[in-house]
Amino acid sequence: MAETATAPLTGKSLLQKIKGSDLPRRELAKLCGYFTVSKSGETRINLAEFYDAVLAAKGIELEKSKADGRGREASYRASVHKNGSIVIGANYTQEMGLKPGDEFEIKLGYKHIRLIQIDVDRPDVELDDEEEDTEE
């Protein structure tokens, strides 16, 4: 079983350690404690954990993966079906918290389609200057 030689740095102490360093990334990760040593004495650098800790220290949270592992991830790409339809998919509607019956206004632009959710509290959607220019 592998063991970590030291407790890895996190937060401000991690950022202070890496700031202005010109060390290679593997050496920097090892210096900050992101490595394990096997029983045979082999050192393994944990770059993924190091990068995640740096992002967390900077206040950037990465999206957590789904625990059940079922279904496909949203790819942010769609294609036109043979019948001319474009399906956005349930991943996006769930991520946005949409419910059946939610309505959208469709705006066509040059090489893009904009979906604007119609707010129940604000039935009259006002266009800003940029949207008025692209409709012509």
Side-chain angles (χ1 to χ4, degrees), residues 19-89:
K19 187 176 182 179
S21 176
D22 58 350
L23 291 173
R25 61 183 177 214
R26 289 187 175 279
E27 289 181 30
L28 191 56
K30 184 177 179 182
L31 185 66
C32 293
Y34 289 89
F35 68 96
T36 54
V37 179
S38 66
K39 287 183 179 180
S40 64
E42 185 178 332
T43 301
R44 183 174 183 154
I45 309 298
N46 300 326
L47 283 177
E49 290 178 32
F50 174 65
Y51 292 145
D52 287 345
V54 171
L55 290 174
K58 290 184 177 185
I60 301 170
E61 286 190 35
L62 294 179
E63 197 174 302
K64 299 280 185 191
S65 63
K66 294 182 180 171
D68 63 3
R70 295 181 299 177
R72 297 186 338 184
E73 297 275 333
S75 67
Y76 299 100
R77 294 187 84 158
S79 60
V80 178
H81 293 246
K82 289 180 181 177
N83 65 1
S85 298
I86 298 175
V87 177
I88 295 174

